[in-house]
Amino acid sequence: MTHEVTIHPLVSPWGRFGLYSFFIDAPEPAVVDTGIASSPAEGMAPVLEKLGRSIEEVRWILLTHGHIDHLGGAHALWELTGRRAQVVIHEADAHLLRSRRAHVENYVAVRRQYLRDPNGVAEQTATAQAVISGELEPTVLVRGGETLSLGGDVTVSVHHIPGHTAGSVAYVVDGQRSVFVGDAVQVHGAANGFPGYEDPDAYRASLTYLRDEIRPRHLYLGHPYRSADGKPFGVELNAEDSRRALRESLDLEQRIADASRRYLRDGLRETDSVYSPFEWVANELGYTGDPTREPSPFFTTLHGYRTRFAAGS
Ligand SMILES: [Zn+2]
């Protein structure tokens, strides 16, 4: 590639969160992640217009994973492109694009048993209805290892980096090591102050792979994740900050793994605490955030260690 492809962040607000999408200004323009239902019209279109581009021109919708705040706007964006954009997602998260119900089923399978909120299922159902713009069949299913051509000499390679979800991927603009990872690099978490991942071993392996093999020169995150000192990283990191974010993510995973292993070998203990049955782990880690606030990464992550250590590994 003779010159670097320009990348623009596109921000859409949602409650406590800023939802971040990125515009890759290639001959066939791409948008990485889509926010929620309102994001394409309210967050993306005005910024693209200011850049002298239009949302109709977008030819690629690249989804880093299946969470609602990343794919909720996919159907709306696809409609705004005249249904011409390719919609790309990993096959392990594709059910989350095809079905609103799949999001509720995820909640029921893991978080509900810890949150014990009698209105939880109704709330999850209402949220999926409101923030997912439509159920959609992806046009390109990936597994990692693919190369997508965005026109001219611009290519994007796809790398499977599971852990946060089973179908999390990194998109890498080849030749300039611009790397989009969605939520796969959690550092100390975003608004909830705790990193969220479903599979601890896969999360660690993916962080190591990003550090040693991908070695981002520019790293684009799905949220302004916090550093160890509580200060948020931005969502566009240079090479040095990328290394720091990966190192801090790995360090914290190690601490959580150690605490979980020590605690879980004796089995779970139910207590009156909101952190129950992982109160001891929260104390050990000094975690004082509200674990019941959605998307409750504390319970998602500790459930992963519970599953892992119960399996005897
Ligand atoms: Zn996510």
Side-chain angles (χ1 to χ4, degrees):
M1 216 177 314
T2 47
H3 59 89
E4 294 216 338
V5 178
T6 308
I7 290 152
H8 300 279
L10 308 168
V11 189
S12 319
W14 183 37
R16 300 180 290 142
F17 299 98
L19 304 181
Y20 291 86
S21 304
F22 298 93
F23 179 72
I24 304 176
D25 198 352
E28 294 180 20
V31 169
V32 180
D33 287 340
T34 63
I36 57 165
S38 58
S39 304
E42 292 174 12
M44 295 177 201
V47 178
L48 291 178
E49 213 141 289
K50 272 188 205 137
L51 296 170
R53 306 303 295 263
S54 86
I55 207 160
E56 291 84 38
E57 297 172 51
V58 172
R59 287 295 167 272
W60 293 90
I61 298 171
L62 306 177
L63 299 167
T64 60
H65 66 295
H67 283 159
I68 53 171
D69 51 330
H70 293 258
L71 61 62
H75 190 279
L77 175 56
W78 181 67
E79 289 284 356
L80 288 169
T81 68
R83 302 188 166 194
R84 282 180 293 181
Q86 301 286 338
V87 183
V88 186
I89 193 167
H90 191 277
E91 60 181 15
D93 277 10
H95 61 296
L96 297 162
L97 185 63
R98 295 186 179 115
S99 156
R100 288 186 175 97
R101 187 74 209 160
H103 296 264
V104 183
E105 285 164 4
N106 256 10
Y107 170 84
V108 169
V110 178
R111 303 199 301 286
R112 184 173 69 166
Q113 63 183 297
Y114 305 108
L115 296 169
R116 298 185 189 144
D117 176 355
N119 300 318
V121 169
E123 280 167 13
Q124 292 290 324
T125 305
T127 299
Q129 191 60 41
V131 307
I132 296 175
S133 53
E135 298 179 330
L136 184 61
E137 180 61 34
T139 57
V140 181
L141 280 176
V142 292
R143 306 173 71 172
E146 296 83 358
T147 297
L148 311 172
S149 174
L150 274 50
D153 57 0
V154 182
T155 58
V156 167
S157 58
V158 184
H159 301 259
H160 189 205
I161 48 166
H164 177 68
T165 66
S168 290
V169 296
Y171 296 103
V172 181
V173 181
D174 295 322
Q176 64 190 61
R177 303 215 310 272
S178 296
V179 183
F180 303 88
V181 293
D183 298 347
V185 178
Q186 289 270 313
V187 205
H188 286 246
N192 289 68
F194 201 88
Y197 41 89
E198 296 173 355
D199 180 335
D201 289 336
Y203 178 64
R204 183 163 198 88
S206 293
L207 292 169
T208 305
Y209 176 75
L210 287 166
R211 183 192 65 190
D212 297 344
E213 305 292 330
I214 303 291
R215 295 180 292 116
R217 194 182 299 153
H218 311 278
L219 181 67
Y220 298 89
L221 304 177
H223 304 275
Y225 289 108
R226 293 175 191 184
S227 170
D229 59 14
K231 290 197 192 113
F233 282 92
V235 294
E236 302 175 82
L237 279 57
N238 62 24
E240 187 188 333
D241 283 342
S242 301
R243 283 194 295 274
R244 187 161 65 91
L246 289 164
R247 186 176 66 240
E248 288 191 12
S249 298
L250 282 160
D251 288 350
L252 182 55
E253 190 287 321
Q254 188 67 58
R255 285 182 56 215
I256 300 171
D258 290 346
S260 300
R261 187 183 293 108
R262 283 199 299 277
Y263 167 68
L264 289 166
R265 68 182 173 208
D266 298 328
L268 293 173
R269 282 187 294 277
E270 301 283 346
T271 64
D272 292 336
S273 156
V274 286
Y275 303 97
S276 175
F278 307 112
E279 180 184 6
W280 189 90
V281 180
N283 291 342
E284 181 80 0
L285 294 168
Y287 178 56
T288 55
D290 180 354
T292 67
R293 268 185 129 173
E294 278 292 276
S296 38
F298 177 79
F299 287 124
T300 298
T301 298
L302 270 294
H303 180 80
Y305 288 103
R306 176 188 177 181
T307 308
R308 170 177 161 188
F309 292 124
S313 56

